[in-house]
Every structure is written in C-alpha cells, then in structure tokens.
Amino acid sequence: MASTGSSRRTFITGAGAAATAGALSATGTLAAPAAAAPATPPNRRRVAVLGGGVAGLTAAHELAERGYAVTVYERRALGGKARSMDVPGSARGARRPLPAEHGFRFIPGIYHNLPDTMRRIPFPGNANGVWDNLVAPREMMFARAGGREDLRGPIPWPDHSPAELTPDELRRALTGILQSLVRLPPHETAYFVDRVLVFLTSCDERRNEVWEHTPWWDFVRAAQMSGEYQRILAVGITRNIVATKAEEASTRTVGTLGEAFVFNLLGRGADGPPDRILNLPTNEAWIDPWEAHLRSLGVEFRIGWTVREVQYGNGRVSGVIVLDPAGTRQTVTADHYVSALPVEHARRTWGAALRAADPMLGRCDELETDWMTGIQFYLTERAALVHGHLNCIDSPWSLTAIQQAEHWPSRNFPADYGDGSAVDCLSVDISEWDKPGILYGKTAKQCTREEVAREVWAQLKASLNDSGKTLLSDSALHSWFLDPGVDGLGTPNPTNQDELLIHPTGTFHNRPSAGTRIPNFFLSGDYVAVDIDLATMEGANASARAAVNSLLDRDGSKADRCTIQPLYRAPEVEPAKRHDLWRHRLGLRNVFDLG
C-alpha cells in the first residue's frame, strides 16, 4: 500500500483527534450549558428557536431586533454546518488549536440575504461588519487525473463590466467561457450553450411543471455526448456543486443555480464576485461575532439542549420536550416556536397530532438528504496548487478543495495555530460516499476513518501529481481531521449528523412554506421553499426571514417586515419568458429547444 502520510502515527493521531471531537459533540460538552433564563418582562413576547445554525441564528437576529425575547436551543454548537471547530489536543504553547470545519465556506455573489445579515454583525475595524471579512479568490481549477491537462481559469472580477443579455450575447459569452475553461469539441459546447439558453428563457410554469421532473442528465443529453462532456457538465456540476446525482437531480434546481451564476459572471444582479470565502476560520470571522452581537440584543442561548418533541394541543404548539445537558427531560414553553433544525432532525420531532394539524409537515418525509462532509489536511509545506477552489473532476469521491492559509492574511499559520509546524490547511469536501475509491476499492462509508483519510489523500494526489510534478508530498502531511459528525465508518451502520438536502426530480413540490397552519409554529431551514432552490446558507437565511415575517403577521406586529431579496431576474430575458409561457400553454417547446 502506498504511503499517504509522513508516518502511520500521523494517521492514528488524526483518527484519535476526530474520535475525541465526536465524543465531545455527542455529549454536548463543546460549550458549557447556559444558566437558566431570567424572567421575561411581561410586555415582551417569547420565542423559542429550535436549532442554532444559520437559520436559527438568523431568526433570532431578526426577532431580537424587533423586541422579542428569544431563546435558542442548540444540541451541539452554534453555527451548525457552517461553524468551524478546534482540533482537540492540537495546540501547543500559546497557539490556537488547528482550525477545522464541516466543509469550507463558499459565499458567492448570487447571495443577497445572507450578506445583508453579515453587514449587520459588528466586527472590530470593519465598516461593513462581518461582510468585510469576505475575500475573493483569484482563480479556480478543474484538476484532471490520468495525465490530462488541468483546466485553470481566472475569475473575472472586480473590473468586469455588465454584459448585454440578448440571446446572441448570452450565447457568445457562454461559448467563450466554456471554450476557455472546459475545451470540449465545438459541437458539444454549442449544444450545451443551447440547453442553457432553453432554461434561461423558460417560463416559470415550464420550469415547475416540466424541468422540475426532468433529470439534469436527460436535459443536457449526456448519454449521447463524450465522456468529457458527461464528467464536467453533467456529473461535475451536479455532484460537486449541488451534491446530488446527475441522473436524478432536478433540472429546475441545477438550472436555477446555473442561471444565477451565469448572471453573476456577466456582472448582473450580484452582491459581489462569484466566488467569495472568509478571511479567517469561520467562527473567528463570523459565528463568534454573531453570537456576541445577539447576546447584546438580549438573545439567550441553551447549548447542549436536545429537542425531542414539539407538543401540540388545543390548536397550538403547547410546548417542546427537550433534554438538558444533564439528560434531564424538560418542557420549554413560549408564545411562538421557530423550528430551525435540519429537515432530517426536525421531522423526528413532529408527532402525529402536529402532523395532522398541517399535512404539509408529512410531505417533508419525502425530502431526501445525502452525505457531503469535510476533511482537512494540515501541511508542513505550502503546495503550489491554485489560488482558489479546485475541483478534482475525475475523483471517484467527487472531491473539491481549497488551501486556506493564503486567504487568511491576518494569521501566521505556524505561529498562530497548532504546534508551530503546520503552515497550511487543505480543506476538502467529500461529495460522493457510495462509490469505490482507488486505494481500497471500498466506498467511503465502508472505510474506517483512517482509510477515508488515506483514500482522499490518494485521490488528491492522483488529480494533482499526474503531470510530472509532485505538488502534494507525503512528507509534507502533518495530520488530518475528519468531521466528527460522521460516525460508525467501516461498520454496517455508518451515521452522519450533518447530512445535506439534495434535489431529485419532483421533490421541490414537497418543500414546506415557512408559515404553517399551526398559528404559533414556524419553519426555518434550507429545506423550506424560498426563491433559491438549493440547500445553502442563503436558503437558510431567507427562510428564517420568511418565518419571522409569518410570525409578525400572526402576532399582529407593527414592526417592519424582514426584507427577502429574490434571485436576480434579468429584465432583457423576461420578454422571452413571456413568449415561452404562451408556447408552453399551447403545448409547444421552448423556441430554442432543438431537441
């Protein structure tokens, strides 16, 4: 077996650190439990927010600004899947522990609601709060395996001028982008651009009634195209970005996201560059300042409290059964309740009576989740890879990655973190957990934690060391850290506490609204139906705003409603969509649809 680390001890150490973190997470001792909440002033309405991820923190933020007394109940740590975390036992002397995370943060310019919240979170020295901690990588890369040429491209920002969005200009711009980055045969490029134009000019009814039920694989006619076309434009887009399978993914979902990125690349409707990341580990740059700001607004936090059941009686939610950090069963009561748990956890807390009160809750059982989980490799030497994200397009486990140290200019990695010998963190997302790897011939779920780390390292090297240069060296591997939310790897029953909502055909119509038929119960999370049809932090943020607006309406509040900005719609394209509505209702194809 090829060596994938500086020593076997390195991998054992990494596995031990990850297991320790998992134990801490499971027992809810990552943070000390908060003291009992003080008595609420009689003139303030009380809201219990169930879950402290992006959705829950956004709901708490908006409610607290409007004078509500908010308590957030979170079983592990604030930030949810967006948080960063410390690698246990990795710090030496006065240094911080090595930073780890569920997966690297990606906050593109197509987001508007989340950036608005970030601007309202104070950060020392920043005029625009936490938002000023966003930085734009200069380039991206498709890393190819087997000696094929890597595809590297600059990201055209900030001097990019908006393009005209006529069909001819769109065709010209998209063809240029694809020819520069992907280098497919000209006829395949032309066909894919035509399919993009079909979607861009499709009316909403066609998107909802036809493209929602059409797999992306079929929409782009992948079966009739080359392996390169299939790998990059069918499988690559869906598996590496949307974390779902091309053969199953809804064209409505993939196309809506692609449309937003096309407009972003062309300088339209953007909050900023199409690729943005944080200039510090996530908790330092965002989550910790957010918590401090919410506490200053009076928000209370109960860390280590697990939601068990949302109780229903007399036409309302009457309370929530929780386990406190000691495991004692308690009942939480409030005037209103916002469920901000991920869907796979939230629906377990909805009993038969609650589901009967609103059948929409039952349809959430049809929503599907999958695994997309992060692993970090700490390096003793900087690897000359790419100044931004890289996509290992040929890797069996659909790996994407980014080197983080160069994007944290205020941090000296060896001086600030760990034992002083790690100079960089290569953060990797594993999107495919059910295909055999190249080292052991096993799926990621069948591998032990150490085997997962070795396999990912081997797949990275296969994509990056295949052109005559050794960009990733075994001798430079300091240690690794696999997300502790994953447990039971290598056993018949692997589990993942942080699964990701995926978007097979037809599932959009099972997504609930933020307001329910229960007058004091509201839903927030990236599974709630909002304009951005994707499991994202933006969707979580927008859904929380929608939940708060519904609560304010039910409460008869005179407070201003939360702004919810939809995805950008190019005015030049709207006439084509209106024309397509006429054709759709007559049973005709889109005018660009050549079959």
Side-chain angles (χ1 to χ4, degrees):
M1 181 184 70
S3 172
T4 55
S6 55
S7 69
R8 183 172 180 273
R9 180 188 58 79
T10 297
F11 274 86
I12 293 174
T13 301
T20 301
L24 287 173
S25 174
T27 57
T29 56
L30 281 174
T40 302
N43 61 328
R44 295 181 69 193
R45 302 280 278 169
R46 297 174 301 134
V47 182
V49 175
L50 314 177
V54 170
L57 294 179
T58 302
H61 194 157
E62 299 292 347
L63 287 164
E65 287 187 342
R66 288 159 177 80
Y68 285 82
V70 182
T71 304
V72 176
Y73 296 86
E74 166 57 44
R75 68 188 174 94
R76 289 188 303 177
L78 297 179
K81 291 190 285 286
R83 76 191 187 281
S84 58
M85 61 195 87
D86 296 337
V87 176
S90 62
R92 298 291 184 273
R95 298 182 187 88
R96 303 166 183 258
L98 289 169
E101 58 202 349
H102 168 74
F104 53 74
R105 302 281 71 72
F106 172 50
I107 305 175
I110 67 173
Y111 292 1
H112 289 277
N113 297 292
L114 183 68
D116 173 70
T117 296
M118 298 177 84
R119 288 183 176 92
R120 290 154 46 205
I121 303 170
F123 192 90
N126 287 0
N128 297 299
V130 162
W131 185 85
D132 282 340
N133 290 338
L134 294 175
V135 294
R138 303 197 307 268
E139 58 181 350
M140 55 82 66
M141 180 172 73
F142 288 128
R144 307 306 309 272
R148 283 171 286 191
E149 184 180 0
D150 295 336
L151 307 176
R152 185 189 300 257
I155 299 175
W157 207 273
D159 298 322
H160 192 72
S161 59
E164 292 294 329
L165 295 182
T166 63
D168 285 344
E169 287 298 330
L170 281 168
R171 190 187 301 275
R172 194 162 18 249
L174 290 171
T175 300
I177 291 170
L178 288 175
Q179 287 179 342
S180 298
L181 292 179
V182 182
R183 303 171 196 171
L184 293 170
H187 72 278
E188 291 191 348
T189 297
Y191 186 80
F192 185 80
V193 169
D194 178 73
R195 301 310 291 165
V196 172
L197 286 175
V198 168
F199 188 86
L200 289 177
T201 58
S202 287
C203 62
D204 292 339
E205 285 82 352
R206 192 186 298 276
R207 295 183 184 196
N208 293 335
E209 297 170 13
V210 180
W211 303 141
E212 169 60 21
H213 298 280
T214 303
W216 180 250
W217 181 271
D218 295 345
F219 179 77
V220 298
R221 308 293 194 272
Q224 286 78 48
M225 300 297 178
S226 68
E228 291 290 281
Y229 182 102
Q230 294 173 359
R231 171 59 60 185
I232 297 173
L233 299 179
V235 175
I237 287 176
T238 55
R239 195 65 205 171
N240 294 90
I241 300 176
V242 192
T244 191
K245 297 177 175 63
E247 296 85 353
E248 303 173 1
S250 157
T251 292
R252 182 192 188 280
T253 295
V254 180
T256 299
L257 179 70
E259 176 183 48
F261 274 107
V262 166
F263 290 152
N264 196 173
L265 283 166
L266 298 178
R268 289 299 191 93
D271 180 80
D275 188 359
R276 296 183 299 187
I277 58 177
L278 291 164
N279 63 1
L280 288 166
T282 308
N283 275 32
E284 293 182 48
W286 176 23
I287 303 300
D288 291 346
W290 203 0
E291 177 188 357
H293 181 58
L294 294 183
R295 288 187 184 277
S296 75
L297 296 176
V299 175
E300 298 281 346
F301 293 98
R302 300 289 176 268
I303 311 300
W305 294 59
T306 302
V307 177
R308 287 298 191 195
E309 183 182 358
V310 179
Q311 296 182 307
Y312 179 79
N314 298 320
R316 302 172 63 82
V317 170
S318 57
V320 177
I321 300 299
V322 299
L323 299 181
D324 67 16
T328 303
R329 182 182 171 98
Q330 298 195 31
T331 301
V332 169
T333 59
D335 298 300
H336 299 285
Y337 303 83
V338 177
S339 177
L341 301 170
V343 65
E344 69 273 18
H345 298 298
R347 58 195 176 196
R348 296 172 190 159
T349 70
W350 303 337
L354 189 73
R355 288 165 175 261
D358 191 342
M360 175 181 72
L361 299 178
R363 291 200 299 274
C364 290
D365 292 339
E366 303 301 316
L367 298 177
E368 299 182 33
T369 59
D370 203 348
W371 290 32
M372 186 174 185
T373 304
I375 182 171
Q376 286 78 51
F377 295 96
Y378 304 96
L379 308 177
T380 57
E381 300 173 5
R382 287 279 181 93
L385 304 181
V386 62
H387 301 293
H389 290 97
L390 66 92
N391 186 328
C392 297
I393 201 73
D394 299 312
S395 58
W397 290 1
S398 296
L399 306 180
T400 50
I402 190 168
Q403 292 171 273
Q404 295 184 314
E406 71 170 287
H407 303 292
W408 298 343
S410 64
R411 289 282 179 261
N412 182 316
F413 207 96
D416 291 343
Y417 297 106
D419 61 7
S421 59
V423 303
D424 205 350
C425 172
L426 180 61
S427 187
V428 184
D429 276 351
I430 308 168
S431 296
E432 174 59 75
W433 285 77
D434 295 305
K435 286 186 178 179
I438 63 175
L439 201 57
Y440 301 104
K442 298 191 292 187
T443 70
K445 291 177 183 175
Q446 293 170 333
C447 291
T448 65
R449 299 182 74 87
E450 179 177 341
E451 288 172 342
V452 167
R454 288 183 179 274
E455 179 71 57
V456 172
W457 186 250
Q459 291 186 31
L460 288 170
K461 291 194 299 180
S463 293
L464 297 167
N465 291 355
D466 62 328
S467 59
K469 294 182 179 179
T470 301
L471 300 180
L472 285 184
S473 168
D474 291 344
S475 62
L477 181 57
H478 174 277
S479 56
W480 56 271
F481 182 89
L482 177 61
D483 186 344
V486 172
D487 197 14
L489 292 178
T491 75
N493 298 300
T495 60
N496 187 345
Q497 297 186 58
D498 299 298
E499 295 191 19
L500 183 73
L501 182 74
I502 59 173
H503 308 272
T505 55
T507 55
F508 175 78
H509 302 295
N510 293 321
R511 295 175 68 168
S513 60
T516 74
R517 295 184 184 180
I518 300 118
N520 64 338
F521 185 59
F522 310 90
L523 303 180
S524 174
D526 61 11
Y527 67 98
V528 174
V530 292
D531 196 55
I532 186 166
D533 179 19
L534 190 69
T536 58
M537 295 183 292
E538 174 77 349
N541 184 278
S543 71
R545 292 166 180 246
V548 170
N549 285 348
S550 183
L551 186 154
L552 296 174
D553 291 343
R554 298 275 179 85
D555 219 21
S557 172
K558 296 181 179 179
D560 291 339
R561 296 322 189 240
C562 307
T563 59
I564 305 176
Q565 186 163 338
L567 288 171
Y568 177 73
R569 297 177 73 109
E572 299 98 321
V573 182
E574 292 305 306
K577 291 182 179 179
R578 290 193 293 270
H579 178 70
D580 187 61
L581 177 59
W582 173 77
R583 293 181 63 88
H584 176 61
R585 290 178 175 175
L586 289 176
L588 301 174
R589 290 179 172 181
N590 178 280
V591 69
F592 292 103
D593 194 344
L594 304 178

